[in-house]
Each structure stands twice: as C-alpha cells, then as structure tokens.
Amino acid sequence: MRESIREILARPEAGGEVSVQGWVRTARHGKKVSFLEVNDGSSLSGVQVVVGPECPGFDTEVRGLGTGCAVEAMGKLVESPGQGQIYEVHAQTVEKIGGVEEGYPLQKKRHSFEFLRTIAHLRPRTNTIGAVLRVRDSASRAIHDFFHERGFVQLHAPLITLSDAEGAGQMFRVTHLDPSDVPKDESGETDWSQDFFGDSAFLSVSGQLEAEIGAMALSRVYTFGPTFRAENSNTARHLAEFWMVEPEVAFCDLSELADLAQAFLQSVFVRVREECEEDLAFFDQRIDDSVLSTLANVTEEPFEKITYTQAVEILEGAQRDFEFPIGWGTDLQSEHERFLTEEYFRRPVIVTDYPKGIKAFYMYLNDDDRTVGAMDVLVPRIGEIIGGSQREHRLSRLQGRIADHGLSEEDYWWYLDLRRYGSVPHAGFGLGFERLVQFITGMANIRDVIPFPRVPGSAEF
Ligand code: ATP
Ligand code: MN
C-alpha cells in the first residue's frame, strides 16, 4: 500500500519522491505539458500531476488520458505555484492502470443528485458524495468512541425479529415460504407456524427491546446497526433501510437521558468538525451556506428543553397557518418541529412528556396519567433527529399499557420478565444516523447521505 494523496498533502515539506495512485478527475493537454488532476478519495483535494515530453509515453499514452482513467504517477513532490494547492507532482513516469471506454457518465459539469442516484456505482467519485462518505465515517467513529469512553458496551441486536417494537405495522416480512404455494391452516389463513422460524418473522424496526435486555445486565449499552421500515413515505427524511444508534441506560431517568443526548450530539459534531474541516467547508460553500455556522452554534450553546404541552402552547400562539392543525393530543408534524427549532428557539430543542395516546406502549407513564416520559430532539433543517424515552419499568403499569394498545402479553413475555426480576428505572433513545449526516452536511435529501439508498421502488446496487 502506497501513501494516500491525503498523506502526501500532509507531508511537512516538498522535495521527496512520490507515487500517486488514483483516478483522473480532469486532464488538460497543452502542447508541451499535460496537467492531470488525480484524486484517490482520501480527501476532497486531489493532487495535480504535471507531465512533460521527457516522460515515456508522453505523446501516446499520456495524451490519451481523460476523466475517469485510473493512473499511477511517480515523480517529485514540488511546491505548487497554483492557487489553492500546496504541492504538485512533476511526473517522471505515468502509467495508465485502467482506461475509460466511450461514454463515461461522470463529466466535469455538475450533475444533479437525482442523476447521480442512477449511477450509485460511480457517484462516490464525485466531490459531494465522496465528502458525504468521509463525514459519515467520521461521525460513525465519533459515535463509537463517545460511548466507549463512557463505558457503554456495544450490543449487536438481531436484524430478524418476531416482535414489532412499536406495536405498529410497516415491517418487512422475512419468509422462506414459496409465495405461490403457502401452507394454510383450517380457516384458510397462511400457516406461519410452518415458516422458517415457526412464526411470522420480520426485519427489525429497532433494536431497543433487545438493548433493554442488555442494559438490565450491563447497565450501559448501545446498538448501532441497520433497521428497516416498510413505510411508503417518499420524503427527503425517510429510508426503508437506515442505520440507528440506540443507547440504553439502566438507573437513568428522562432528565439524565436528555443530558446524555445533548452531550452525545455535541461531542459528535465537535469531532467531525475537527476531522473533516475541508469537507465541511465544501458543504458550506456548495451545498448550504449555513452548515458551518449551524454546527458552531449547536456545539457551543445548550439545547432548549420544553415539555410537549409548552410546545403546543407556543405553536398555538404562533401567527402561522400550519398545514396540519395543532392541538393538545395531536402529534407534532415536521412543520411544527421545524418552526420550533428554526424560527422560535433557533437552536436544538428537546421536547419531553408527550401525551400517552400518541406514543409507544413501553414509555414511562407520568403521575398525571396523561403524559409519558418521552423525549424528541429536534434540530434545524431536519426536525426530529432523536426519539427516546424513559421506559416503563413497573410491571403492572406496563401490563396495563400493553392491554390499552391491544397487544398481547404473551408476545412480550421476556420483556415483562425484565420487570419481574430486578427491574430498575431505565431510559434510551434512537438516533437516525442518516438524519445526523444530513444535519452535519446540509444535504437536502436523505438518499444522498447513504451509499446505497433503499426506498420504495428502488434497491439497485
Ligand atoms: P418520524 O416521525 O420522523 O418518521 P419516528 O417517530 O418514526 O420518526 P422513531 O421511531 O422514534 O422515529 O425512530 C428514531 C429515529 O430514527 C428518528 O428520530 C429518526 O431520526 C430516525 N428515523 C425514523 N424513521 C426513519 C426512516 N424511515 N429513515 C431514516 N431515519 C428514520
Ligand atoms: Mn416514522
């Protein structure tokens, strides 16, 4: 493995020999010299390779190099006279490693993100998607480090599950039955007991219930993996397959959870700002000019914290025609969330204590008997980025809530057992990882912050 271009550009001084491997972004062929802008994806910046007639194959191979070709160039690293670059390479040899056939779809002009999605096998070679993937990686590592430093154990939750964490539909079924010949029971319904797992099975919408098992033994755990929702919503904030980060903490209440969420987000933002300075400057310049100021703002100031009831009062008092009417008992829609965080408070907002009727059965029932210990973190541009709650740890309350939701205790026997054997107050949240990357980069569509988006009607690549 040779030095990456990132490593070459980080050299303290020019002068040495270098070998550069990468893809030609642009090639300019002058009479006596060729300029090849070579990028290997290790950083936004590539390096300019300057090739003269003394280079073997100058008139033949070098002159034929164009956008997309893979090359290896060896030569001297010299200080660059050009603006915006420190070094360039004066090549002694240039070898074409992989040529480009007619019709290379990526040209120098800017392509629309819609078009780039149709060539997801090539789009990581663009500035924007390359930068997204580096930011994604940096954020992912920052998340693991944040938890590791605080003694959390990563728990690998299963992807296939028999239970529906939310008690609501929108799951992908996992089956090995032949769709043209499914076994039936006496009443003519599909007999799922003959399916692979002996029951209906699905792709998981959340690792939370399993994370609770982990927390009831290891105190602090988190999951970080893909989750699946068959929601047919063609929005810029929903995917059918997305990554979720779900910490779960024993001996923890809602207010401690809110503190954790704030510390967590801020620490990830700080890390990515340090590690991806060049990429973030690019997003600020080319994608959304509020990227850097928003990141600075959210890392320096504490988040606002209000109850759902206060949020509804603010929204009712706002001189605003919302598309969805707001009133106590209705869920906050994206437009409401964005009003609170973008216009009213102009910073991230943690909304707590939602009406029990609009939240999941496992959330802690407050003393008022009307609200539960739920918590959503709202951020500018995105709205909800985190959803969490203190969990109901009292057996009889949980049984009551399961009944209220029309669920069966049998399906949750092990979840209820956790309340029978050494139950403690505990709390956790789920962060949508792609929404985090969207927030950091300013990318408008969630499909452009995951390498291979899965959405209704599309799962190619
Ligand atoms: P929303 O109301 O935006 O659909 P939700 O209430 O369904 O979100 P939760 O079930 O609380 O979300 O999931 C936790 C987090 O996962 C959310 O805060 C969000 O960041 C993310 N998330 C939820 N659904 C999706 C999706 N389809 N695609 C990408 N991220 C998602
Ligand atoms: Mn949803």
Side-chain angles (χ1 to χ4, degrees):
M1 244 170 41
R2 308 271 168 82
E3 247 177 328
S4 68
I5 291 177
R6 184 193 186 91
E7 288 161 340
I8 291 171
L9 296 177
R11 283 201 191 175
E13 55 188 22
E17 296 285 314
V18 279
S19 155
V20 173
Q21 298 165 314
W23 292 268
V24 174
R25 282 287 176 85
T26 54
R28 285 184 294 125
H29 298 294
K31 271 215 181 88
K32 289 213 177 89
V33 64
S34 284
F35 297 99
L36 309 173
E37 177 68 24
V38 179
N39 188 294
D40 66 358
S42 60
S43 68
L44 188 75
S45 300
V47 72
Q48 169 148 283
V49 177
V50 185
V51 200
E54 69 284 357
C55 182
F58 179 74
D59 287 320
T60 50
E61 205 167 76
V62 173
R63 308 304 263 178
L65 291 173
T67 303
C69 287
V71 294
E72 174 168 348
M74 306 228 228
K76 267 213 156 51
L77 190 66
V78 299
E79 261 162 50
S80 170
Q83 269 215 326
Q85 47 196 13
I86 350 169
Y87 303 138
E88 60 187 30
V89 175
H90 289 183
Q92 278 134 19
T93 63
V94 176
E95 192 190 340
K96 177 160 83 181
I97 308 285
V100 162
E101 292 183 15
E102 199 65 21
Y104 184 57
L106 280 177
Q107 290 308 320
K108 203 183 163 203
K109 68 176 179 119
R110 259 170 134 174
H111 296 291
S112 73
F113 292 128
E114 287 78 10
F115 169 70
L116 290 178
R117 279 174 224 142
T118 69
I119 50 164
H121 58 310
L122 297 172
R123 70 174 186 166
R125 298 187 193 182
T126 62
N127 278 338
T128 307
I129 304 300
V132 162
L133 296 181
R134 284 185 298 270
V135 166
R136 209 181 141 96
D137 171 68
S138 168
S140 162
R141 279 164 210 283
I143 287 168
H144 285 296
D145 288 348
F146 174 87
F147 289 123
H148 184 68
E149 283 157 17
R150 283 160 186 77
F152 284 68
V153 172
Q154 185 186 4
L155 187 83
H156 299 107
L159 299 189
I160 298 175
T161 173
L162 304 186
S163 70
D164 172 350
E166 304 280 331
Q170 301 185 326
M171 302 176 86
F172 289 102
R173 182 180 290 281
V174 177
T175 179
H176 86 144
L177 294 180
D178 176 355
S180 62
D181 183 24
V182 290
K184 307 271 172 143
D185 59 19
E186 302 96 73
S187 50
E189 305 283 328
T190 302
D191 183 5
W192 296 111
S193 73
Q194 293 190 44
D195 204 349
F196 193 90
F197 299 104
D199 201 348
S200 281
F202 305 92
L203 290 179
S204 179
V205 296
S206 155
Q208 179 204 318
L209 303 190
E210 288 87 1
E212 286 188 52
I213 295 179
M216 286 303 115
L218 303 165
S219 297
R220 298 175 187 188
V221 298
Y222 72 104
T223 71
F224 189 171
T227 50
F228 306 86
R229 296 194 186 177
E231 45 197 2
N232 208 348
S233 49
N234 264 305
T235 78
R237 298 178 311 123
H238 289 90
L239 292 163
E241 175 180 299
F242 64 101
W243 286 63
M244 254 225 273
V245 180
E246 296 182 276
E248 189 71 36
V249 188
F251 308 99
C252 178
D253 65 15
L254 190 68
S255 131
E256 291 168 298
L257 184 73
D259 292 343
L260 178 74
Q262 175 180 325
F264 166 69
L265 287 175
Q266 290 186 328
S267 119
V268 173
F269 297 149
V270 167
R271 258 283 290 279
V272 176
R273 266 172 80 193
E274 281 166 12
E275 284 185 3
C276 301
E277 218 184 317
E278 186 187 28
D279 290 322
L280 292 181
F282 170 83
F283 287 116
D284 196 66
Q285 215 172 43
R286 301 291 282 272
I287 302 296
D288 183 328
D289 65 8
S290 67
V291 160
L292 290 178
S293 57
T294 308
L295 272 182
N297 177 14
V298 301
T299 46
E300 278 146 28
E301 306 217 13
F303 298 180
E304 192 68 40
K305 215 169 125 185
I306 56 171
T307 65
Y308 165 88
T309 303
Q310 289 169 317
V312 169
E313 283 164 12
I314 292 168
L315 291 162
E316 281 173 340
Q319 309 294 323
R320 188 58 64 95
D321 268 337
F322 291 116
E323 190 188 333
F324 295 91
I326 183 79
W328 203 96
T330 62
D331 208 354
L332 300 185
Q333 300 295 325
S334 175
E335 54 174 342
H336 307 130
E337 297 174 344
R338 295 188 59 169
F339 174 81
L340 290 171
T341 176
E342 285 169 20
E343 296 183 46
Y344 195 83
F345 289 111
R346 293 173 169 275
R347 63 167 87 179
V349 183
I350 303 182
V351 183
T352 64
D353 303 296
Y354 285 71
K356 64 175 179 182
I358 57 172
K359 288 289 181 186
F361 74 93
Y362 50 71
M363 296 189 182
Y364 182 89
L365 188 61
N366 289 328
D367 290 343
D368 62 13
D369 206 31
R370 307 169 70 208
T371 61
V372 288
M375 167 200 98
D376 281 2
V377 182
L378 317 177
V379 294
R381 287 199 303 260
I382 307 291
E384 179 188 334
I385 195 168
I386 281 180
S389 65
Q390 182 174 337
R391 319 305 188 188
E392 184 54 80
H393 70 286
R394 300 160 298 186
L395 180 63
S396 63
R397 300 280 167 91
L398 185 59
Q399 287 167 323
R401 299 270 289 148
I402 285 179
D404 289 350
H405 281 252
L407 303 170
S408 100
E409 282 192 29
E410 268 168 55
D411 291 343
Y412 294 95
W413 68 271
W414 52 266
Y415 194 67
L416 289 162
D417 263 7
L418 295 176
R419 278 74 184 166
R420 292 191 176 98
Y421 310 133
S423 189
V424 299
H426 60 288
F429 63 72
L431 163 85
F433 184 58
E434 284 72 24
R435 292 204 189 159
L436 177 88
V437 179
Q438 263 192 293
F439 177 71
I440 295 174
T441 58
M443 293 294 287
N445 198 313
I446 196 165
R447 298 169 193 210
D448 301 321
V449 297
I450 187 164
F452 308 107
R454 268 80 183 101
V455 293
S458 160
E460 214 181 351
F461 306 103

